[in-house]
Amino acid sequence: MNLASLNTPAAIVDLDAMTRNIQRMQARMNALGVKFRPHVKTTKCNQVVQAQLDAGAQGITVSTLKEAEQFFAAGIGDIVYAVAMAPNKLEQAMTLRRRGCDLKIVTDSVSSARAIVAFGNAHAESFEVWIEVDVDGHRSGIAPDDDLLLDVGRVLHEGGMKLGGVLAHAGSSYDYNTAADLERIAEQERAGCVHAAQRLRAAGLPCDTVSIGSTPTALAARHLEGVTEVRAGVYVFFDLVMHNVGVCALDDIALSVLTTVIGHQENKGWAIVDAGWMAMSRDRGTQRQQQDFGYGLVCTEDGVPVDGYVMSAANQEHGIVSCIGEPDTAIAARFPVGTRLRILPNHACATGAQHPEYHALSRDGAVSTWPRFYGW
Amino acid sequence: MNLASLNTPAAIVDLDAMTRNIQRMQARMNALGVKFRPHVKTTKCNQVVQAQLDAGAQGITVSTLKEAEQFFAAGIGDIVYAVAMAPNKLEQAMTLRRRGCDLKIVTDSVSSARAIVAFGNAHAESFEVWIEVDVDGHRSGIAPDDDLLLDVGRVLHEGGMKLGGVLAHAGSSYDYNTAADLERIAEQERAGCVHAAQRLRAAGLPCDTVSIGSTPTALAARHLEGVTEVRAGVYVFFDLVMHNVGVCALDDIALSVLTTVIGHQENKGWAIVDAGWMAMSRDRGTQRQQQDFGYGLVCTEDGVPVDGYVMSAANQEHGIVSCIGEPDTAIAARFPVGTRLRILPNHACATGAQHPEYHALSRDGAVSTWPRFYGW
């Protein structure tokens, strides 16, 4: 199988770029002296995760219990479910643990901690729980200086659960685009999470693991003193948002969507392609960044960016490809009907999720099909 | 099975609302004297499409050849693939026709028409082809007065294909929100497509079918003289975009996402839920409308809207629920951890596509699982 034999639209993974991305991150983590635990929500694909583990990653991070179940079935036991635990998911988590999965769960509230303790004690299950720490006001978690941190820690520890550590994610790192800002937010993530761990320990509570991470901060951190492990996900493919943040070059982007030109509106300078938002996702993550790529950057079938051409609009199965600025009224000659293009995505996690499989493209042009799963 | 037994997040279909929506549209089409051909891209679900056919729909519209294959396998033969044909998909279309599927394909260019003729003649296959007409500058198609219409018609007819009709979609109808504007755009869609058909016939070319449609125009048209069939998709579930367009009430929206509260940021007035953009989609279709619902409108588990509360932000598996305006710092008391909510979506086509199945909820509280497919 090769690119020419694929139906369109199709999700293409450039294996060379993916391998470089994996090696780059793992080499940094090795140099910084921490364990690396990739977030598999980006790909939900065994072949990609196996490549991450083969390069030195230890354990995985998941965003759903379905991911935990699928990757445990594939032989991975060390898993952290990095979304605050809902009480109604405790039975599913317990079932995984009793089958031998070393699943860690997360909370950031007394209410949820009490539910974990009550369920755990009722079923004689000592869950390992990490407390989520909020280092940047981005989403969930407890601020490092908030006494709620100690309250939650005590509920878990005194309730007989294993208080395993603290976990933070500096999601606001996506909002920056200079090395200085990224270094600053990386240090804020590190220092905040380490401070939370120190407060727990000073209160006589156990806290072995200090887990932080996002792709930009993992790539920007100068040192990781006090941190035991880093999590990151999108680095494996990168995307246009990460390009705008400044942590990858265009040719590091390993995911693209292969598409076919199906028509034109010549006077408007539009080529219509058979990849719409169903194939790209509705993610417009570059809209508020310094360079807006619409629904994606146009490349030739070989993967070379066509300067100035983006998918400027999308319907469900139609994409509109056009030139930024003046309309290219010769676009039908440039991209005739039947032309195949590849579109680099704004957000690899969102675009990948629209596809039942990746088509992994080797340097020699061979293509392998890698299934990915979805749902909950 | 009932709502309480479902894992979250989950896509819920309110069967009463869906049934009302199907009956309302079919009754209108019957009164207007046209055949109704629902667009199945919204649901990709056999049970929903069967309900549409049972109510009187004749044939279906698809946005991918995979939809054609899946619904042909389910026993539906009369299918129009309403996206301009890519030359590389002709073999797949021919295979379907030779298995007995009455598949119609679409084009809007001489180049694509020539490719269809060349392939058809090389394989002794007389494809039925409809010409796409552009009635509002929205996307694809040939303007009714453009002589390109006759050129494409002649290429197909003289090349031995069956020129079956014309097809238009007034996608710009989504941009309006008054009855007068919707009636005007509906009439523009009707008149433009009928005019294109008349020009083809006046040039001695066959044109039996005149196919138009979008949910807003189908519901706004005063008469459909000259039209033979109407297509619409999202009406079966409706959504917040359609509510803002003014063609449905909130309680007509049949699709929602069931979710669980997993935490809070009380000082910000945030409840965090386990449905993020993976469950809602990234669609922000109400952003530019008169009422912006964020990622969706919050309802109780019973489906009753909680006035003023929306999903204001979303990450992959986290949604932030908050009050529009002043932060509700008592939100943790209002929606404690473990509370289950239902979120009405901006765009039912996009939200449904994120889920492997619908959970169809009857008035008596019973829930059935209806699979849906995805991919190409």
Side-chain angles (χ1 to χ4, degrees):
Chain A
M1 218 167 38
N2 54 34
L3 275 192
S5 64
L6 294 179
N7 190 6
T8 56
I12 310 298
V13 172
D14 179 321
L15 275 179
D16 271 0
M18 181 188 95
T19 303
R20 282 199 314 274
N21 298 341
I22 290 173
Q23 289 170 345
R24 175 183 168 202
M25 181 64 83
Q26 190 63 50
R28 265 192 71 81
M29 295 301 107
N30 294 347
L32 289 164
V34 292
K35 171 174 168 174
F36 181 58
R37 181 191 291 279
H39 206 318
V40 300
K41 75 182 178 75
T42 300
T43 69
K44 306 197 185 196
C45 172
N46 282 330
Q47 287 88 344
V48 176
V49 174
Q50 197 54 56
Q52 292 169 305
L53 294 170
D54 289 348
Q58 297 172 65
I60 60 170
T61 313
V62 301
S63 69
T64 64
L65 288 178
K66 181 164 188 172
E67 290 163 50
E69 287 169 348
Q70 295 274 324
F71 286 106
F72 179 62
I76 301 170
D78 178 2
I79 300 177
V80 60
Y81 169 47
V83 175
M85 195 67 196
N88 61 338
K89 293 189 169 83
L90 283 163
E91 181 147 352
Q92 196 180 354
M94 182 176 70
T95 302
L96 265 168
R97 288 177 62 87
R98 294 200 169 165
R99 288 167 52 211
C101 178
D102 179 20
L103 179 72
K104 276 76 70 170
I105 61 175
V106 167
T107 186
D108 66 354
S109 69
V110 166
S111 162
S112 171
R114 284 193 180 133
I116 293 166
V117 166
F119 185 95
N121 289 331
H123 296 84
E125 180 67 39
S126 178
F127 287 104
E128 178 170 346
V129 190
W130 297 1
I131 300 178
E132 186 168 5
V133 176
D134 176 17
V135 291
D136 60 354
H138 173 63
R139 186 171 68 197
S140 304
I142 303 171
D145 272 322
D146 192 329
D147 284 343
L148 180 59
L149 179 74
L150 307 181
D151 295 341
V152 172
R154 286 191 194 102
V155 168
L156 293 167
H157 183 62
E158 292 164 10
M161 301 298 108
K162 181 180 177 190
L163 180 53
V166 285
L167 168 147
H169 165 62
S172 65
S173 61
Y174 282 43
D175 298 337
Y176 300 100
N177 61 10
T178 68
D181 280 336
L182 293 174
E183 275 182 34
R184 181 179 53 73
I185 187 76
E187 174 56 16
Q188 182 177 316
E189 183 185 45
R190 183 204 69 79
C193 202
V194 169
H195 180 55
Q198 288 166 338
R199 288 191 69 214
L200 287 167
R201 291 171 191 146
L205 294 164
C207 184
D208 286 346
T209 296
V210 179
S211 176
I212 64 170
S214 74
T215 287
T217 54
L219 293 170
R222 296 290 287 271
H223 75 93
L224 291 176
E225 201 182 316
V227 169
T228 65
E229 65 166 48
V230 167
R231 310 175 324 280
V234 77
Y235 81 93
V236 69
F237 286 164
F238 285 124
D239 52 31
L240 293 168
V241 165
M242 287 295 116
H243 167 266
N244 279 348
V245 169
V247 294
C248 72
L250 283 180
D251 66 2
D252 294 326
I253 300 177
L255 181 66
S256 60
V257 173
L258 183 68
T259 186
T260 304
V261 175
I262 58 172
H264 302 90
Q265 295 287 8
E266 294 191 54
N267 57 334
K268 294 177 180 165
W270 292 357
I272 315 284
V273 298
D274 69 353
W277 58 252
M278 188 64 83
M280 298 306 301
S281 89
R282 269 287 193 200
D283 199 290
R284 288 282 290 104
T286 59
Q287 188 168 24
R288 297 191 313 171
Q289 295 185 306
Q290 79 274 22
Q291 190 169 2
D292 183 352
F293 289 101
Y295 284 88
L297 177 62
V298 174
C299 299
T300 64
E301 186 171 10
D302 292 337
V304 180
V306 184
D307 198 31
Y309 287 79
V310 298
M311 185 183 289
S312 50
N315 296 131
Q316 185 159 337
E317 300 288 351
H318 295 82
I320 295 177
V321 162
S322 64
C323 185
I324 297 171
E326 285 299 296
D328 173 8
T329 52
I331 198 162
R334 178 184 290 268
F335 303 133
V337 167
T339 303
R340 284 154 78 98
L341 301 170
R342 277 161 67 188
I343 315 291
L344 299 179
N346 285 320
H347 188 177
C349 308
T351 301
Q354 304 297 108
H355 294 261
E357 69 262 318
Y358 298 113
H359 302 278
L361 174 65
S362 306
R363 194 181 305 182
D364 65 4
V367 168
S368 311
T369 301
W370 290 356
R372 57 160 291 152
F373 61 90
Y374 77 136
W376 293 269
Chain B
M1 218 167 39
N2 54 35
L3 274 192
S5 64
L6 293 178
N7 190 7
T8 57
I12 310 300
V13 172
D14 179 322
L15 274 179
D16 270 1
M18 181 187 96
T19 303
R20 281 201 313 273
N21 298 340
I22 290 173
Q23 288 170 345
R24 174 182 169 201
M25 182 64 84
Q26 189 64 51
R28 264 192 71 79
M29 296 301 108
N30 293 347
L32 289 164
V34 292
K35 171 175 170 174
F36 180 57
R37 181 191 289 280
H39 205 319
V40 301
K41 75 182 179 75
T42 300
T43 68
K44 305 196 187 198
C45 172
N46 281 332
Q47 286 88 341
V48 177
V49 173
Q50 197 54 55
Q52 292 169 306
L53 294 171
D54 289 348
Q58 297 174 66
I60 60 171
T61 313
V62 300
S63 69
T64 63
L65 289 178
K66 182 165 188 170
E67 290 162 51
E69 288 168 347
Q70 295 274 325
F71 286 106
F72 179 62
I76 301 170
D78 177 2
I79 300 177
V80 61
Y81 169 47
V83 175
M85 195 67 197
N88 61 339
K89 293 189 170 83
L90 283 163
E91 181 146 353
Q92 195 180 355
M94 182 177 69
T95 301
L96 265 168
R97 287 177 62 86
R98 293 200 170 165
R99 288 167 54 213
C101 178
D102 179 20
L103 179 73
K104 277 73 71 168
I105 61 176
V106 166
T107 185
D108 66 354
S109 70
V110 166
S111 163
S112 172
R114 283 193 181 132
I116 294 166
V117 166
F119 185 95
N121 288 332
H123 296 84
E125 181 67 39
S126 178
F127 287 103
E128 177 169 347
V129 189
W130 297 2
I131 300 178
E132 187 169 3
V133 175
D134 177 17
V135 291
D136 61 354
H138 173 65
R139 186 171 69 197
S140 304
I142 303 171
D145 272 322
D146 191 331
D147 284 343
L148 179 59
L149 179 76
L150 306 181
D151 295 341
V152 172
R154 285 191 194 101
V155 168
L156 293 167
H157 183 64
E158 291 163 11
M161 302 300 107
K162 180 179 177 190
L163 180 52
V166 285
L167 169 147
H169 166 62
S172 65
S173 62
Y174 283 42
D175 300 336
Y176 301 98
N177 60 10
T178 67
D181 279 336
L182 292 174
E183 274 182 35
R184 181 180 52 75
I185 187 76
E187 173 57 15
Q188 181 178 316
E189 183 185 46
R190 183 204 69 81
C193 201
V194 169
H195 179 55
Q198 289 166 336
R199 288 190 70 214
L200 286 167
R201 292 171 190 145
L205 294 164
C207 183
D208 286 344
T209 296
V210 179
S211 176
I212 64 169
S214 73
T215 287
T217 55
L219 293 171
R222 297 289 289 271
H223 74 92
L224 290 176
E225 200 181 319
V227 169
T228 65
E229 65 165 49
V230 167
R231 310 176 323 281
V234 78
Y235 81 93
V236 69
F237 286 164
F238 285 123
D239 52 31
L240 294 168
V241 165
M242 286 297 114
H243 167 266
N244 279 346
V245 169
V247 294
C248 71
L250 283 180
D251 67 2
D252 294 327
I253 301 177
L255 182 66
S256 60
V257 174
L258 183 69
T259 185
T260 304
V261 175
I262 59 171
H264 303 90
Q265 295 289 7
E266 293 190 54
N267 58 332
K268 294 177 180 164
W270 292 357
I272 314 284
V273 298
D274 70 351
W277 57 251
M278 189 63 84
M280 298 306 303
S281 91
R282 269 289 194 199
D283 198 293
R284 287 283 289 102
T286 59
Q287 189 168 24
R288 296 190 312 172
Q289 294 185 306
Q290 80 274 24
Q291 189 168 2
D292 183 353
F293 289 100
Y295 284 88
L297 177 62
V298 174
C299 299
T300 64
E301 185 172 11
D302 292 337
V304 179
V306 185
D307 197 32
Y309 287 79
V310 298
M311 185 182 288
S312 51
N315 296 131
Q316 186 160 337
E317 299 289 351
H318 295 83
I320 294 177
V321 162
S322 64
C323 186
I324 297 170
E326 285 300 295
D328 173 8
T329 53
I331 197 162
R334 180 185 289 270
F335 302 134
V337 168
T339 303
R340 285 154 78 97
L341 302 170
R342 276 160 69 187
I343 315 291
L344 299 179
N346 285 321
H347 188 175
C349 307
T351 300
Q354 304 297 107
H355 294 260
E357 67 263 319
Y358 298 113
H359 302 279
L361 172 66
S362 306
R363 193 180 306 181
D364 65 3
V367 168
S368 311
T369 302
W370 290 356
R372 53 161 293 149
F373 61 89
Y374 77 136
W376 293 269

